[in-house]
Amino acid sequence: DAGITQSPRHKVTETGTPVTLRCHQTENHRYMYWYRQDPGHGLRLIHYSYGVKDTDKGEVSDGYSVSRSKTEDFLLTLESATSSQTSVYFCAISGGLSLRETQYFGPGTRLLVL
Amino acid sequence: AQKITQTQPGMFVQEKEAVTLDCTYDTSDQSYGLFWYKQPSSGEMIFLIYQGSYDEQNATEGRYSLNFQKARKSANLVISASQLGDSAMYFCAMREPSGAGGTSYGKLTFGQGTILTVHP
C-alpha cells in the first residue's frame, strides 16, 4: 500500500471556523491532489500540486486554499468553514503524469460543519 | 459538462454470477486513460484496473475485466464470479493528457459511482 496518511480522520467544526486538513506521504511522489466526495457527484478535484510550492485550482476550489512547503505534506485549508463543505476529503498522490500512472488515495477525512 | 457518466446508481447480483457496471465518457482527446476504483463501506479508494485509449487489448486483472468500446466511448467494468466482498461503490475515472498541450497534471475526473450489492 502507498504510504499516505490523512489527519484528522474525523472532524466536527462550526460554521465560520478555519479548518486545516493534512496529507502526508512517504513515497516521495511529486504530484498530490485533494478531492472531495459527495453523494451524486463522485469525487471532485479541489486543488492539486505539481511540486513544492507549486499548486493550482481544481473544479471546486472556492473556499479552499492549499500549501505545500515540503514534498511529503500537502495541506488543505478551509478559511471559514461553511455547511456546504461538509464532505469526505481524500488526498491522492501520483509519481508521474503518464496516462497509466495510478493515483493512490489516502484513507479520507470526514468533515462535518455545523 | 459531465465527462464521465455512470448511469446505474445501484446494481444487484447473485453471488458467483458476473456483473457489468457501465461507464461512458466524453473527451475530444485521442489519448486518455480510464480507471476503475472500488470503495468498500470502510471508505478507502482501491485501484482496480486501467485501460489506455491506445491499448489494443481489453484490460484484465484477475476477476476484473474492462469491456472497452472506443467508438462508443464506453469502458464497462465486468466482474466475474461475484463474491460477497465485492459489495461496494465502484467509480469510473478518466485521465486526459498532461503534456505540453494539456495542463491537467494527471487529474482524474470521476463518475458518480455505482453501488454494487452481492446477494448470497
Side-chain angles (χ1 to χ4, degrees), chain A residues 33 35 37 40 42-43 45 48 50 90 97-103 105, chain B residues 31-32 35 37 39 43 50 55 91 95 105-108 110-112:
Chain A
Y33 311 83
Y35 295 88
Q37 181 180 8
L43 279 75
L45 183 67
Y48 60 97
Y50 47 97
F90 285 97
L97 294 181
S98 73
L99 287 174
R100 64 178 59 247
E101 188 79 34
T102 302
Q103 273 189 26
F105 286 79
Chain B
S31 183
Y32 49 87
F35 298 78
Y37 284 84
Q39 186 180 42
Y50 167 82
D55 292 345
F91 290 100
R95 169 180 289 139
Y105 284 103
K107 294 178 289 185
L108 291 175
F110 284 84
Q112 311 94 312

PDB file of all heavy atoms in Angstrom, chain A residues 33 35 37 40 42-43 45 48 50 90 97-103 105, chain B residues 31-32 35 37 39 43 50 55 91 95 105-108 110-112:
ATOM      1  N   TYR A  33      -2.961  15.638  -4.751  1.00  0.00           N
ATOM      2  CA  TYR A  33      -4.293  16.119  -5.111  1.00  0.00           C
ATOM      3  C   TYR A  33      -5.209  16.081  -3.883  1.00  0.00           C
ATOM      4  O   TYR A  33      -5.091  15.195  -3.041  1.00  0.00           O
ATOM      5  CB  TYR A  33      -4.905  15.226  -6.198  1.00  0.00           C
ATOM      6  CG  TYR A  33      -3.994  14.948  -7.368  1.00  0.00           C
ATOM      7  CD1 TYR A  33      -3.045  13.928  -7.300  1.00  0.00           C
ATOM      8  CD2 TYR A  33      -4.088  15.682  -8.546  1.00  0.00           C
ATOM      9  CE1 TYR A  33      -2.199  13.670  -8.373  1.00  0.00           C
ATOM     10  CE2 TYR A  33      -3.250  15.430  -9.621  1.00  0.00           C
ATOM     11  CZ  TYR A  33      -2.306  14.424  -9.532  1.00  0.00           C
ATOM     12  OH  TYR A  33      -1.475  14.169 -10.591  1.00  0.00           O
ATOM     13  N   TYR A  35      -9.325  15.883  -3.226  1.00  0.00           N
ATOM     14  CA  TYR A  35     -10.669  15.698  -3.777  1.00  0.00           C
ATOM     15  C   TYR A  35     -11.677  15.748  -2.632  1.00  0.00           C
ATOM     16  O   TYR A  35     -11.358  15.449  -1.495  1.00  0.00           O
ATOM     17  CB  TYR A  35     -10.812  14.325  -4.436  1.00  0.00           C
ATOM     18  CG  TYR A  35      -9.963  14.085  -5.664  1.00  0.00           C
ATOM     19  CD1 TYR A  35      -8.665  13.590  -5.551  1.00  0.00           C
ATOM     20  CD2 TYR A  35     -10.472  14.303  -6.936  1.00  0.00           C
ATOM     21  CE1 TYR A  35      -7.895  13.336  -6.686  1.00  0.00           C
ATOM     22  CE2 TYR A  35      -9.714  14.055  -8.076  1.00  0.00           C
ATOM     23  CZ  TYR A  35      -8.433  13.572  -7.934  1.00  0.00           C
ATOM     24  OH  TYR A  35      -7.673  13.327  -9.067  1.00  0.00           O
ATOM     25  N   GLN A  37     -15.631  14.160  -1.772  1.00  0.00           N
ATOM     26  CA  GLN A  37     -16.618  13.187  -2.226  1.00  0.00           C
ATOM     27  C   GLN A  37     -17.971  13.529  -1.644  1.00  0.00           C
ATOM     28  O   GLN A  37     -18.130  13.627  -0.424  1.00  0.00           O
ATOM     29  CB  GLN A  37     -16.244  11.758  -1.810  1.00  0.00           C
ATOM     30  CG  GLN A  37     -17.246  10.731  -2.292  1.00  0.00           C
ATOM     31  CD  GLN A  37     -16.901   9.320  -1.883  1.00  0.00           C
ATOM     32  OE1 GLN A  37     -15.981   9.088  -1.108  1.00  0.00           O
ATOM     33  NE2 GLN A  37     -17.621   8.346  -2.423  1.00  0.00           N
ATOM     34  N   GLY A  40     -23.817  11.586  -5.267  1.00  0.00           N
ATOM     35  CA  GLY A  40     -24.297  12.039  -6.567  1.00  0.00           C
ATOM     36  C   GLY A  40     -23.262  12.766  -7.405  1.00  0.00           C
ATOM     37  O   GLY A  40     -23.521  13.091  -8.565  1.00  0.00           O
ATOM     38  N   GLY A  42     -19.656  11.846  -7.106  1.00  0.00           N
ATOM     39  CA  GLY A  42     -18.394  11.139  -7.149  1.00  0.00           C
ATOM     40  C   GLY A  42     -17.328  11.941  -6.413  1.00  0.00           C
ATOM     41  O   GLY A  42     -17.607  12.598  -5.413  1.00  0.00           O
ATOM     42  N   LEU A  43     -16.117  11.914  -6.921  1.00  0.00           N
ATOM     43  CA  LEU A  43     -15.025  12.710  -6.353  1.00  0.00           C
ATOM     44  C   LEU A  43     -14.754  13.880  -7.287  1.00  0.00           C
ATOM     45  O   LEU A  43     -14.673  13.701  -8.502  1.00  0.00           O
ATOM     46  CB  LEU A  43     -13.753  11.869  -6.198  1.00  0.00           C
ATOM     47  CG  LEU A  43     -13.669  10.974  -4.970  1.00  0.00           C
ATOM     48  CD1 LEU A  43     -14.555   9.762  -5.109  1.00  0.00           C
ATOM     49  CD2 LEU A  43     -12.217  10.560  -4.723  1.00  0.00           C
ATOM     50  N   LEU A  45     -12.203  17.345  -7.889  1.00  0.00           N
ATOM     51  CA  LEU A  45     -10.889  17.878  -7.572  1.00  0.00           C
ATOM     52  C   LEU A  45     -10.995  19.287  -7.004  1.00  0.00           C
ATOM     53  O   LEU A  45     -11.624  20.166  -7.599  1.00  0.00           O
ATOM     54  CB  LEU A  45     -10.016  17.883  -8.819  1.00  0.00           C
ATOM     55  CG  LEU A  45      -8.574  18.341  -8.630  1.00  0.00           C
ATOM     56  CD1 LEU A  45      -7.799  17.329  -7.777  1.00  0.00           C
ATOM     57  CD2 LEU A  45      -7.894  18.511  -9.988  1.00  0.00           C
ATOM     58  N   TYR A  48      -4.609  20.880  -6.594  1.00  0.00           N
ATOM     59  CA  TYR A  48      -3.560  19.902  -6.777  1.00  0.00           C
ATOM     60  C   TYR A  48      -2.203  20.598  -6.726  1.00  0.00           C
ATOM     61  O   TYR A  48      -2.111  21.836  -6.813  1.00  0.00           O
ATOM     62  CB  TYR A  48      -3.729  19.129  -8.086  1.00  0.00           C
ATOM     63  CG  TYR A  48      -3.696  19.988  -9.339  1.00  0.00           C
ATOM     64  CD1 TYR A  48      -2.535  20.131 -10.083  1.00  0.00           C
ATOM     65  CD2 TYR A  48      -4.849  20.644  -9.777  1.00  0.00           C
ATOM     66  CE1 TYR A  48      -2.523  20.908 -11.225  1.00  0.00           C
ATOM     67  CE2 TYR A  48      -4.843  21.421 -10.910  1.00  0.00           C
ATOM     68  CZ  TYR A  48      -3.682  21.545 -11.639  1.00  0.00           C
ATOM     69  OH  TYR A  48      -3.666  22.312 -12.767  1.00  0.00           O
ATOM     70  N   TYR A  50       1.926  20.222  -8.177  1.00  0.00           N
ATOM     71  CA  TYR A  50       2.874  19.564  -9.078  1.00  0.00           C
ATOM     72  C   TYR A  50       4.308  19.792  -8.647  1.00  0.00           C
ATOM     73  O   TYR A  50       5.239  19.659  -9.448  1.00  0.00           O
ATOM     74  CB  TYR A  50       2.650  19.992 -10.532  1.00  0.00           C
ATOM     75  CG  TYR A  50       2.486  21.483 -10.742  1.00  0.00           C
ATOM     76  CD1 TYR A  50       3.557  22.263 -11.132  1.00  0.00           C
ATOM     77  CD2 TYR A  50       1.247  22.095 -10.584  1.00  0.00           C
ATOM     78  CE1 TYR A  50       3.412  23.623 -11.345  1.00  0.00           C
ATOM     79  CE2 TYR A  50       1.091  23.461 -10.794  1.00  0.00           C
ATOM     80  CZ  TYR A  50       2.177  24.221 -11.170  1.00  0.00           C
ATOM     81  OH  TYR A  50       2.030  25.567 -11.369  1.00  0.00           O
ATOM     82  N   PHE A  90     -10.487  13.453   0.330  1.00  0.00           N
ATOM     83  CA  PHE A  90      -9.446  12.489   0.005  1.00  0.00           C
ATOM     84  C   PHE A  90      -8.228  13.196  -0.567  1.00  0.00           C
ATOM     85  O   PHE A  90      -8.343  14.066  -1.433  1.00  0.00           O
ATOM     86  CB  PHE A  90      -9.939  11.477  -1.029  1.00  0.00           C
ATOM     87  CG  PHE A  90     -10.868  10.445  -0.483  1.00  0.00           C
ATOM     88  CD1 PHE A  90     -12.235  10.603  -0.604  1.00  0.00           C
ATOM     89  CD2 PHE A  90     -10.381   9.317   0.153  1.00  0.00           C
ATOM     90  CE1 PHE A  90     -13.102   9.645  -0.105  1.00  0.00           C
ATOM     91  CE2 PHE A  90     -11.236   8.352   0.654  1.00  0.00           C
ATOM     92  CZ  PHE A  90     -12.600   8.522   0.529  1.00  0.00           C
ATOM     93  N   LEU A  97       3.118  11.631 -14.696  1.00  0.00           N
ATOM     94  CA  LEU A  97       1.982  12.140 -15.458  1.00  0.00           C
ATOM     95  C   LEU A  97       1.619  11.266 -16.655  1.00  0.00           C
ATOM     96  O   LEU A  97       0.780  11.652 -17.456  1.00  0.00           O
ATOM     97  CB  LEU A  97       2.283  13.559 -15.951  1.00  0.00           C
ATOM     98  CG  LEU A  97       2.414  14.623 -14.867  1.00  0.00           C
ATOM     99  CD1 LEU A  97       2.694  15.980 -15.503  1.00  0.00           C
ATOM    100  CD2 LEU A  97       1.170  14.698 -13.998  1.00  0.00           C
ATOM    101  N   SER A  98       2.233  10.101 -16.756  1.00  0.00           N
ATOM    102  CA  SER A  98       1.820   9.246 -17.867  1.00  0.00           C
ATOM    103  C   SER A  98       0.369   8.840 -17.650  1.00  0.00           C
ATOM    104  O   SER A  98      -0.124   8.796 -16.525  1.00  0.00           O
ATOM    105  CB  SER A  98       2.709   8.011 -17.960  1.00  0.00           C
ATOM    106  OG  SER A  98       2.421   7.111 -16.916  1.00  0.00           O
ATOM    107  N   LEU A  99      -0.317   8.579 -18.738  1.00  0.00           N
ATOM    108  CA  LEU A  99      -1.739   8.285 -18.644  1.00  0.00           C
ATOM    109  C   LEU A  99      -2.026   7.087 -17.745  1.00  0.00           C
ATOM    110  O   LEU A  99      -3.057   7.047 -17.072  1.00  0.00           O
ATOM    111  CB  LEU A  99      -2.319   8.035 -20.037  1.00  0.00           C
ATOM    112  CG  LEU A  99      -2.481   9.265 -20.915  1.00  0.00           C
ATOM    113  CD1 LEU A  99      -2.934   8.862 -22.308  1.00  0.00           C
ATOM    114  CD2 LEU A  99      -3.460  10.255 -20.302  1.00  0.00           C
ATOM    115  N   ARG A 100      -1.116   6.118 -17.699  1.00  0.00           N
ATOM    116  CA  ARG A 100      -1.396   4.917 -16.925  1.00  0.00           C
ATOM    117  C   ARG A 100      -0.891   5.020 -15.492  1.00  0.00           C
ATOM    118  O   ARG A 100      -0.992   4.053 -14.733  1.00  0.00           O
ATOM    119  CB  ARG A 100      -0.818   3.686 -17.604  1.00  0.00           C
ATOM    120  CG  ARG A 100       0.675   3.640 -17.732  1.00  0.00           C
ATOM    121  CD  ARG A 100       1.124   2.329 -18.376  1.00  0.00           C
ATOM    122  NE  ARG A 100       0.545   2.136 -19.690  1.00  0.00           N
ATOM    123  CZ  ARG A 100      -0.325   1.189 -19.968  1.00  0.00           C
ATOM    124  NH1 ARG A 100      -0.738   0.339 -19.049  1.00  0.00           N
ATOM    125  NH2 ARG A 100      -0.797   1.060 -21.203  1.00  0.00           N
ATOM    126  N   GLU A 101      -0.347   6.157 -15.137  1.00  0.00           N
ATOM    127  CA  GLU A 101       0.153   6.342 -13.774  1.00  0.00           C
ATOM    128  C   GLU A 101      -1.031   6.317 -12.805  1.00  0.00           C
ATOM    129  O   GLU A 101      -1.947   7.151 -12.894  1.00  0.00           O
ATOM    130  CB  GLU A 101       0.896   7.671 -13.659  1.00  0.00           C
ATOM    131  CG  GLU A 101       1.606   7.872 -12.336  1.00  0.00           C
ATOM    132  CD  GLU A 101       2.927   7.127 -12.267  1.00  0.00           C
ATOM    133  OE1 GLU A 101       3.600   7.019 -13.307  1.00  0.00           O
ATOM    134  OE2 GLU A 101       3.277   6.667 -11.173  1.00  0.00           O
ATOM    135  N   THR A 102      -1.002   5.399 -11.872  1.00  0.00           N
ATOM    136  CA  THR A 102      -2.122   5.249 -10.939  1.00  0.00           C
ATOM    137  C   THR A 102      -2.058   6.310  -9.855  1.00  0.00           C
ATOM    138  O   THR A 102      -0.990   6.622  -9.343  1.00  0.00           O
ATOM    139  CB  THR A 102      -2.085   3.859 -10.302  1.00  0.00           C
ATOM    140  OG1 THR A 102      -2.147   2.878 -11.348  1.00  0.00           O
ATOM    141  CG2 THR A 102      -3.266   3.655  -9.359  1.00  0.00           C
ATOM    142  N   GLN A 103      -3.209   6.842  -9.523  1.00  0.00           N
ATOM    143  CA  GLN A 103      -3.291   7.703  -8.343  1.00  0.00           C
ATOM    144  C   GLN A 103      -3.689   6.842  -7.157  1.00  0.00           C
ATOM    145  O   GLN A 103      -4.637   6.065  -7.228  1.00  0.00           O
ATOM    146  CB  GLN A 103      -4.353   8.803  -8.538  1.00  0.00           C
ATOM    147  CG  GLN A 103      -3.825  10.028  -9.220  1.00  0.00           C
ATOM    148  CD  GLN A 103      -4.808  11.176  -9.220  1.00  0.00           C
ATOM    149  OE1 GLN A 103      -5.674  11.292  -8.368  1.00  0.00           O
ATOM    150  NE2 GLN A 103      -4.671  12.043 -10.200  1.00  0.00           N
ATOM    151  N   PHE A 105      -4.836   6.761  -3.144  1.00  0.00           N
ATOM    152  CA  PHE A 105      -5.607   7.618  -2.254  1.00  0.00           C
ATOM    153  C   PHE A 105      -5.324   7.339  -0.794  1.00  0.00           C
ATOM    154  O   PHE A 105      -5.046   6.197  -0.393  1.00  0.00           O
ATOM    155  CB  PHE A 105      -7.105   7.423  -2.519  1.00  0.00           C
ATOM    156  CG  PHE A 105      -7.577   8.053  -3.789  1.00  0.00           C
ATOM    157  CD1 PHE A 105      -7.355   7.440  -4.997  1.00  0.00           C
ATOM    158  CD2 PHE A 105      -8.222   9.284  -3.771  1.00  0.00           C
ATOM    159  CE1 PHE A 105      -7.770   8.037  -6.194  1.00  0.00           C
ATOM    160  CE2 PHE A 105      -8.645   9.883  -4.942  1.00  0.00           C
ATOM    161  CZ  PHE A 105      -8.413   9.258  -6.150  1.00  0.00           C
TER     162      PHE A 105
ATOM    163  N   SER B  31      -5.880  10.526 -26.909  1.00  0.00           N
ATOM    164  CA  SER B  31      -5.093   9.795 -25.926  1.00  0.00           C
ATOM    165  C   SER B  31      -5.623  10.086 -24.522  1.00  0.00           C
ATOM    166  O   SER B  31      -5.705  11.254 -24.118  1.00  0.00           O
ATOM    167  CB  SER B  31      -3.633  10.231 -26.039  1.00  0.00           C
ATOM    168  OG  SER B  31      -2.821   9.512 -25.156  1.00  0.00           O
ATOM    169  N   TYR B  32      -5.993   9.046 -23.819  1.00  0.00           N
ATOM    170  CA  TYR B  32      -6.538   9.220 -22.466  1.00  0.00           C
ATOM    171  C   TYR B  32      -6.459   7.880 -21.753  1.00  0.00           C
ATOM    172  O   TYR B  32      -6.204   6.833 -22.355  1.00  0.00           O
ATOM    173  CB  TYR B  32      -7.982   9.733 -22.505  1.00  0.00           C
ATOM    174  CG  TYR B  32      -8.887   8.960 -23.437  1.00  0.00           C
ATOM    175  CD1 TYR B  32      -9.556   7.822 -23.001  1.00  0.00           C
ATOM    176  CD2 TYR B  32      -9.055   9.367 -24.757  1.00  0.00           C
ATOM    177  CE1 TYR B  32     -10.367   7.107 -23.864  1.00  0.00           C
ATOM    178  CE2 TYR B  32      -9.861   8.646 -25.627  1.00  0.00           C
ATOM    179  CZ  TYR B  32     -10.512   7.527 -25.187  1.00  0.00           C
ATOM    180  OH  TYR B  32     -11.304   6.813 -26.047  1.00  0.00           O
ATOM    181  N   PHE B  35      -9.833   4.487 -15.609  1.00  0.00           N
ATOM    182  CA  PHE B  35      -9.564   3.761 -14.378  1.00  0.00           C
ATOM    183  C   PHE B  35     -10.880   3.351 -13.727  1.00  0.00           C
ATOM    184  O   PHE B  35     -11.897   4.050 -13.850  1.00  0.00           O
ATOM    185  CB  PHE B  35      -8.816   4.651 -13.370  1.00  0.00           C
ATOM    186  CG  PHE B  35      -7.469   5.110 -13.833  1.00  0.00           C
ATOM    187  CD1 PHE B  35      -7.333   6.147 -14.742  1.00  0.00           C
ATOM    188  CD2 PHE B  35      -6.323   4.522 -13.334  1.00  0.00           C
ATOM    189  CE1 PHE B  35      -6.082   6.587 -15.156  1.00  0.00           C
ATOM    190  CE2 PHE B  35      -5.070   4.949 -13.737  1.00  0.00           C
ATOM    191  CZ  PHE B  35      -4.948   5.971 -14.643  1.00  0.00           C
ATOM    192  N   TYR B  37     -12.102   2.316  -9.748  1.00  0.00           N
ATOM    193  CA  TYR B  37     -11.761   2.214  -8.340  1.00  0.00           C
ATOM    194  C   TYR B  37     -12.939   1.588  -7.604  1.00  0.00           C
ATOM    195  O   TYR B  37     -14.107   1.785  -7.965  1.00  0.00           O
ATOM    196  CB  TYR B  37     -11.483   3.599  -7.734  1.00  0.00           C
ATOM    197  CG  TYR B  37     -10.159   4.207  -8.092  1.00  0.00           C
ATOM    198  CD1 TYR B  37      -9.996   4.919  -9.279  1.00  0.00           C
ATOM    199  CD2 TYR B  37      -9.073   4.087  -7.236  1.00  0.00           C
ATOM    200  CE1 TYR B  37      -8.784   5.493  -9.602  1.00  0.00           C
ATOM    201  CE2 TYR B  37      -7.846   4.660  -7.545  1.00  0.00           C
ATOM    202  CZ  TYR B  37      -7.714   5.365  -8.741  1.00  0.00           C
ATOM    203  OH  TYR B  37      -6.506   5.930  -9.060  1.00  0.00           O
ATOM    204  N   GLN B  39     -14.707   1.314  -3.749  1.00  0.00           N
ATOM    205  CA  GLN B  39     -14.775   1.914  -2.430  1.00  0.00           C
ATOM    206  C   GLN B  39     -15.691   1.077  -1.546  1.00  0.00           C
ATOM    207  O   GLN B  39     -16.913   1.187  -1.592  1.00  0.00           O
ATOM    208  CB  GLN B  39     -15.287   3.360  -2.498  1.00  0.00           C
ATOM    209  CG  GLN B  39     -15.229   4.066  -1.149  1.00  0.00           C
ATOM    210  CD  GLN B  39     -15.724   5.505  -1.206  1.00  0.00           C
ATOM    211  OE1 GLN B  39     -16.728   5.803  -1.849  1.00  0.00           O
ATOM    212  NE2 GLN B  39     -15.002   6.402  -0.545  1.00  0.00           N
ATOM    213  N   GLY B  43     -14.553   2.840   3.308  1.00  0.00           N
ATOM    214  CA  GLY B  43     -14.278   4.175   2.792  1.00  0.00           C
ATOM    215  C   GLY B  43     -13.042   4.365   1.937  1.00  0.00           C
ATOM    216  O   GLY B  43     -12.937   5.382   1.248  1.00  0.00           O
ATOM    217  N   TYR B  50      -6.906  -0.522 -15.177  1.00  0.00           N
ATOM    218  CA  TYR B  50      -6.623   0.611 -16.070  1.00  0.00           C
ATOM    219  C   TYR B  50      -6.746   0.177 -17.529  1.00  0.00           C
ATOM    220  O   TYR B  50      -6.359  -0.942 -17.902  1.00  0.00           O
ATOM    221  CB  TYR B  50      -5.198   1.128 -15.815  1.00  0.00           C
ATOM    222  CG  TYR B  50      -4.714   2.067 -16.886  1.00  0.00           C
ATOM    223  CD1 TYR B  50      -5.077   3.410 -16.866  1.00  0.00           C
ATOM    224  CD2 TYR B  50      -3.912   1.617 -17.932  1.00  0.00           C
ATOM    225  CE1 TYR B  50      -4.649   4.278 -17.848  1.00  0.00           C
ATOM    226  CE2 TYR B  50      -3.479   2.481 -18.933  1.00  0.00           C
ATOM    227  CZ  TYR B  50      -3.856   3.802 -18.882  1.00  0.00           C
ATOM    228  OH  TYR B  50      -3.441   4.664 -19.868  1.00  0.00           O
ATOM    229  N   ASP B  55      -4.562   1.109 -26.046  1.00  0.00           N
ATOM    230  CA  ASP B  55      -4.322  -0.308 -25.762  1.00  0.00           C
ATOM    231  C   ASP B  55      -5.157  -1.158 -26.707  1.00  0.00           C
ATOM    232  O   ASP B  55      -6.368  -0.948 -26.837  1.00  0.00           O
ATOM    233  CB  ASP B  55      -4.687  -0.625 -24.307  1.00  0.00           C
ATOM    234  CG  ASP B  55      -3.737   0.034 -23.325  1.00  0.00           C
ATOM    235  OD1 ASP B  55      -2.654   0.478 -23.762  1.00  0.00           O
ATOM    236  OD2 ASP B  55      -4.075   0.101 -22.129  1.00  0.00           O
ATOM    237  N   PHE B  91     -16.252   3.324  -8.876  1.00  0.00           N
ATOM    238  CA  PHE B  91     -16.112   4.572  -9.615  1.00  0.00           C
ATOM    239  C   PHE B  91     -15.295   4.366 -10.876  1.00  0.00           C
ATOM    240  O   PHE B  91     -14.245   3.721 -10.855  1.00  0.00           O
ATOM    241  CB  PHE B  91     -15.400   5.636  -8.767  1.00  0.00           C
ATOM    242  CG  PHE B  91     -16.204   6.159  -7.621  1.00  0.00           C
ATOM    243  CD1 PHE B  91     -15.995   5.689  -6.339  1.00  0.00           C
ATOM    244  CD2 PHE B  91     -17.172   7.126  -7.828  1.00  0.00           C
ATOM    245  CE1 PHE B  91     -16.727   6.180  -5.274  1.00  0.00           C
ATOM    246  CE2 PHE B  91     -17.924   7.623  -6.769  1.00  0.00           C
ATOM    247  CZ  PHE B  91     -17.692   7.146  -5.490  1.00  0.00           C
ATOM    248  N   ARG B  95      -8.425  10.043 -17.122  1.00  0.00           N
ATOM    249  CA  ARG B  95      -7.320  10.995 -17.097  1.00  0.00           C
ATOM    250  C   ARG B  95      -7.044  11.427 -18.524  1.00  0.00           C
ATOM    251  O   ARG B  95      -6.934  10.594 -19.421  1.00  0.00           O
ATOM    252  CB  ARG B  95      -6.068  10.362 -16.503  1.00  0.00           C
ATOM    253  CG  ARG B  95      -4.825  11.232 -16.701  1.00  0.00           C
ATOM    254  CD  ARG B  95      -3.597  10.602 -16.109  1.00  0.00           C
ATOM    255  NE  ARG B  95      -3.644  10.636 -14.665  1.00  0.00           N
ATOM    256  CZ  ARG B  95      -3.261   9.624 -13.901  1.00  0.00           C
ATOM    257  NH1 ARG B  95      -2.819   8.505 -14.451  1.00  0.00           N
ATOM    258  NH2 ARG B  95      -3.318   9.731 -12.593  1.00  0.00           N
ATOM    259  N   TYR B 105      -2.243  17.925 -15.462  1.00  0.00           N
ATOM    260  CA  TYR B 105      -1.376  17.463 -14.381  1.00  0.00           C
ATOM    261  C   TYR B 105      -1.880  16.185 -13.725  1.00  0.00           C
ATOM    262  O   TYR B 105      -1.818  16.035 -12.520  1.00  0.00           O
ATOM    263  CB  TYR B 105      -1.193  18.564 -13.328  1.00  0.00           C
ATOM    264  CG  TYR B 105      -0.239  19.632 -13.796  1.00  0.00           C
ATOM    265  CD1 TYR B 105      -0.716  20.847 -14.240  1.00  0.00           C
ATOM    266  CD2 TYR B 105       1.124  19.414 -13.817  1.00  0.00           C
ATOM    267  CE1 TYR B 105       0.149  21.822 -14.693  1.00  0.00           C
ATOM    268  CE2 TYR B 105       2.006  20.376 -14.275  1.00  0.00           C
ATOM    269  CZ  TYR B 105       1.515  21.582 -14.708  1.00  0.00           C
ATOM    270  OH  TYR B 105       2.360  22.549 -15.159  1.00  0.00           O
ATOM    271  N   GLY B 106      -2.353  15.282 -14.555  1.00  0.00           N
ATOM    272  CA  GLY B 106      -2.708  13.985 -14.024  1.00  0.00           C
ATOM    273  C   GLY B 106      -4.029  13.934 -13.295  1.00  0.00           C
ATOM    274  O   GLY B 106      -4.334  12.937 -12.652  1.00  0.00           O
ATOM    275  N   LYS B 107      -4.816  14.958 -13.402  1.00  0.00           N
ATOM    276  CA  LYS B 107      -6.090  14.971 -12.696  1.00  0.00           C
ATOM    277  C   LYS B 107      -7.008  13.858 -13.192  1.00  0.00           C
ATOM    278  O   LYS B 107      -7.019  13.525 -14.364  1.00  0.00           O
ATOM    279  CB  LYS B 107      -6.791  16.306 -12.903  1.00  0.00           C
ATOM    280  CG  LYS B 107      -6.083  17.489 -12.298  1.00  0.00           C
ATOM    281  CD  LYS B 107      -6.833  18.774 -12.596  1.00  0.00           C
ATOM    282  CE  LYS B 107      -6.728  19.171 -14.045  1.00  0.00           C
ATOM    283  NZ  LYS B 107      -7.361  20.478 -14.306  1.00  0.00           N
ATOM    284  N   LEU B 108      -7.787  13.337 -12.271  1.00  0.00           N
ATOM    285  CA  LEU B 108      -8.810  12.363 -12.617  1.00  0.00           C
ATOM    286  C   LEU B 108     -10.187  13.016 -12.547  1.00  0.00           C
ATOM    287  O   LEU B 108     -10.459  13.783 -11.633  1.00  0.00           O
ATOM    288  CB  LEU B 108      -8.773  11.170 -11.665  1.00  0.00           C
ATOM    289  CG  LEU B 108      -7.566  10.242 -11.745  1.00  0.00           C
ATOM    290  CD1 LEU B 108      -7.632   9.188 -10.660  1.00  0.00           C
ATOM    291  CD2 LEU B 108      -7.480   9.599 -13.118  1.00  0.00           C
ATOM    292  N   PHE B 110     -14.075  11.897 -12.187  1.00  0.00           N
ATOM    293  CA  PHE B 110     -14.803  10.717 -11.738  1.00  0.00           C
ATOM    294  C   PHE B 110     -16.265  10.763 -12.166  1.00  0.00           C
ATOM    295  O   PHE B 110     -16.864  11.834 -12.291  1.00  0.00           O
ATOM    296  CB  PHE B 110     -14.752  10.625 -10.209  1.00  0.00           C
ATOM    297  CG  PHE B 110     -13.451  10.153  -9.674  1.00  0.00           C
ATOM    298  CD1 PHE B 110     -12.396  11.024  -9.482  1.00  0.00           C
ATOM    299  CD2 PHE B 110     -13.274   8.811  -9.337  1.00  0.00           C
ATOM    300  CE1 PHE B 110     -11.187  10.588  -8.983  1.00  0.00           C
ATOM    301  CE2 PHE B 110     -12.069   8.363  -8.839  1.00  0.00           C
ATOM    302  CZ  PHE B 110     -11.019   9.251  -8.663  1.00  0.00           C
ATOM    303  N   GLY B 111     -16.827   9.559 -12.328  1.00  0.00           N
ATOM    304  CA  GLY B 111     -18.264   9.431 -12.453  1.00  0.00           C
ATOM    305  C   GLY B 111     -18.911   9.452 -11.080  1.00  0.00           C
ATOM    306  O   GLY B 111     -18.237   9.559 -10.057  1.00  0.00           O
ATOM    307  N   GLN B 112     -20.240   9.342 -11.083  1.00  0.00           N
ATOM    308  CA  GLN B 112     -20.986   9.457  -9.830  1.00  0.00           C
ATOM    309  C   GLN B 112     -20.921   8.204  -8.982  1.00  0.00           C
ATOM    310  O   GLN B 112     -21.274   8.213  -7.801  1.00  0.00           O
ATOM    311  CB  GLN B 112     -22.468   9.778 -10.112  1.00  0.00           C
ATOM    312  CG  GLN B 112     -22.691  10.919 -11.077  1.00  0.00           C
ATOM    313  CD  GLN B 112     -22.873  10.430 -12.509  1.00  0.00           C
ATOM    314  OE1 GLN B 112     -22.080   9.611 -13.006  1.00  0.00           O
ATOM    315  NE2 GLN B 112     -23.886  10.936 -13.176  1.00  0.00           N
TER     316      GLN B 112
END
